[in-house]
Amino acid sequence: MKEIIAANLIRYRKSLGLSQEQLAEQAGVTRQSINNYENAKTLPDSKILSALASALGITLDDLLRSPGVGLPNFRFRAHVTFDTAVATTRETRATHCLKNAQFAAQVLRMLQTYNALEQAVGLPTYTPESTPCHQVEGNEKHIQTIAALFRHRLGLGDAPIANLFQSVEEIGLKVLRSSVPIKGFFGLSACSDIEGAFVLVNTHNITIERQLFTLAHEIGHLIFHRVEYQDTLIEEGTSYEEKAREKVADYFASHLLVPQAEFERMYTLTQDIVKLKRHFRVSYLVILNRLAEMKIIDFAKEKVKICAIYKKQHDGASLQNSMELPPALPADDYPENERYEFLIWQSLKLGKISEMKAAELLNLTVEKLRVRRQENEVYAVA
């Protein structure tokens, strides 16, 4: 146990960029004590362990867990890493892993909780079928076919998807949308043949359009790149390989959200970018990319043109990459984590978790939880 705590203290401290002195000050111990703990010479008592965990922004379980140990049966899509305060460029991956050990621990806790709730309620899980594909070139029709088959699995035809979050949650895919204040991070995924697939989508200052694309993108990775998933959030793969896989996931996401036949039909009716994006409920960038794929426009030139129009219409304000061309999809139409919250309420109803635990998971006080519970019972169908 001394060795496990020592390794974790070093890992979590360095991920925050703290010196031994700084950690010692925050935890209320001496620098020599930290040095002894990190060299496995002495073992902190329970009070000091709690203080260390709090100072490092983790739980006591995180501090006591063997480094590198994930969840049984789960493998993660997390090949490209970046430091805590440094984001990679968009060209490398839309689904990032971090060298930030605290973030990795947070992801494990999220997945562990979600998995436990599913088991408590007995709700079935879902993992998409795997079919390896590592480059777009030469596989365009195959990727489009897989996108069409996945839409069929969702019970959809070529019509626009009203709410992809709800659609995939209905078939058992674990989706959590959470605010992760790390620039350039959009999402990640994990899967288990036994316990289903999981997607984390970042919501922090990210448009609904981008969140939907991230979800579709991660589903693409779950389908095409299952063999690259690892037991922990680690770095693997060359930049060239990752770029090729990114293109596959992007291409799949685009055709899942915007089926080619329906796009061609709509394009005969209107060439207005705003009308097309509103119809398909996607970003204007998805529309521009599709038109560029079809050799109808030059993507860069058309984007410059749109940005110039936006600037003129908005008193010189620029259309940033993180922004959506108005009108943007309203967040109220896409409530977060409905399946996850349903599992919490059902677990509470079945007596699988306490009120205190349910309140913690829902980020409510116990008093507010009781009020919400009474409201739910009033409107429940007998």
Side-chain angles (χ1 to χ4, degrees):
M1 182 57 70
K2 285 182 183 179
E3 289 73 18
I4 292 173
I5 292 173
N8 282 333
L9 281 175
I10 294 170
R11 186 161 59 100
Y12 289 123
R13 175 176 63 77
K14 288 186 175 180
S15 76
L16 291 179
L18 295 177
S19 65
Q20 289 186 338
E21 289 84 355
Q22 289 171 319
L23 177 57
E25 182 179 352
Q26 292 184 29
V29 297
T30 66
R31 187 207 66 79
Q32 187 58 49
S33 294
I34 298 295
N35 186 67
N36 288 339
Y37 302 151
E38 291 188 352
N39 284 287
K41 291 180 178 180
T42 57
L43 188 66
D45 61 30
S46 58
K47 183 178 180 180
I48 293 175
L49 278 173
S50 295
L52 288 168
S54 177
L56 293 168
I58 56 175
T59 67
L60 192 56
D61 285 343
D62 296 330
L63 197 54
L64 300 177
R65 184 185 295 118
S66 295
V69 174
L71 290 178
N73 304 318
F74 277 96
R75 294 168 68 82
F76 294 84
R77 170 67 186 176
H79 292 293
V80 176
T81 64
F82 56 93
D83 293 323
T84 306
V86 181
T88 58
T89 62
R90 172 65 185 87
E91 287 74 27
T92 54
R93 255 180 70 70
T95 54
H96 302 302
C97 168
L98 308 180
K99 288 178 181 174
N100 186 330
Q102 278 79 356
F103 179 76
Q106 180 187 358
V107 171
L108 286 176
R109 290 196 299 272
M110 288 178 176
L111 182 48
Q112 193 170 34
T113 300
Y114 206 137
N115 199 44
L117 289 169
E118 278 183 333
Q119 292 177 1
V121 175
L123 209 60
T125 62
Y126 171 75
T127 303
E129 292 184 14
S130 177
T131 174
C133 180
H134 300 288
Q135 66 176 40
V136 172
E137 293 75 16
N139 293 307
E140 291 88 351
K141 290 297 182 183
H142 174 62
I143 298 171
Q144 290 182 35
T145 298
I146 298 300
L149 288 173
F150 190 78
R151 289 178 68 93
H152 179 72
R153 178 68 180 82
L154 297 177
L156 305 170
D158 280 350
I161 303 176
N163 187 330
L164 185 61
F165 299 115
Q166 288 181 347
S167 294
V168 298
E169 286 183 329
E170 285 173 3
I171 64 172
L173 182 67
K174 291 183 256 289
V175 179
L176 272 182
R177 294 158 69 194
S178 180
S179 180
V180 182
I182 300 174
K183 185 178 180 181
F185 173 71
F186 296 107
L188 56 77
S189 53
C191 73
S192 163
D193 291 334
I194 299 172
E195 292 160 336
F198 167 78
V199 176
L200 172 64
V201 177
N202 191 9
T203 64
H204 186 73
N205 295 331
I206 296 174
T207 65
I208 295 295
E209 289 85 351
R210 173 68 246 200
Q211 292 177 43
L212 288 166
F213 191 85
T214 294
L215 175 58
H217 178 100
E218 288 302 328
I219 293 170
H221 281 308
L222 286 164
I223 292 172
F224 296 113
H225 306 133
R226 191 82 56 81
V227 295
E228 281 85 37
Y229 281 56
Q230 302 293 323
D231 294 331
T232 54
L233 298 175
I234 63 174
E235 179 178 4
E236 185 177 303
T238 67
S239 177
Y240 175 80
E241 290 170 340
E242 281 302 306
K243 286 181 180 179
R245 292 175 190 135
E246 282 299 287
K247 287 179 66 177
V248 170
D250 280 348
Y251 193 85
F252 170 84
S254 172
H255 285 272
L256 175 62
L257 296 169
V258 184
Q260 185 64 24
E262 175 65 6
F263 184 77
E264 291 175 1
R265 185 189 74 82
M266 281 300 300
Y267 192 69
T268 63
L269 301 177
T270 180
Q271 288 78 52
D272 188 304
I273 300 297
V274 171
K275 289 182 179 179
L276 289 169
K277 90 179 194 73
R278 290 180 68 178
H279 177 76
F280 289 104
R281 300 182 176 90
V282 296
S283 170
Y284 78 102
L285 295 173
V286 172
I287 301 300
L288 293 186
N289 269 305
R290 181 62 59 82
L291 292 173
E293 282 177 15
M294 297 167 65
K295 311 298 183 186
I296 294 174
I297 64 166
D298 180 290
F299 178 88
K301 290 181 179 178
E302 195 65 27
K303 187 180 178 185
V304 168
K305 175 184 171 184
I306 288 174
C307 288
I309 294 172
Y310 179 92
K311 194 170 187 176
K312 185 176 181 180
Q313 293 178 342
H314 293 82
D315 299 322
S318 298
L319 180 61
Q320 304 294 331
N321 288 334
S322 60
M323 297 166 59
E324 180 53 47
L325 184 67
L329 292 173
D332 289 346
D333 290 352
Y334 297 85
E336 295 182 13
N337 306 328
E338 291 183 299
R339 184 174 184 269
Y340 179 69
E341 291 195 3
F342 168 78
L343 288 170
I344 295 172
W345 287 110
Q346 283 297 105
S347 295
L348 179 61
K349 183 178 180 180
L350 295 171
K352 301 293 184 178
I353 60 174
S354 65
E355 282 191 334
M356 185 172 293
K357 184 62 178 178
E360 175 193 335
L361 294 175
L362 291 167
N363 197 27
L364 298 172
T365 63
V366 173
E367 290 72 21
K368 288 185 178 180
L369 175 85
R370 289 171 179 167
V371 171
R372 285 272 300 274
R373 194 177 187 182
Q374 289 177 346
E375 290 173 347
N376 292 343
E377 291 172 354
V378 167
Y379 292 107
V381 177

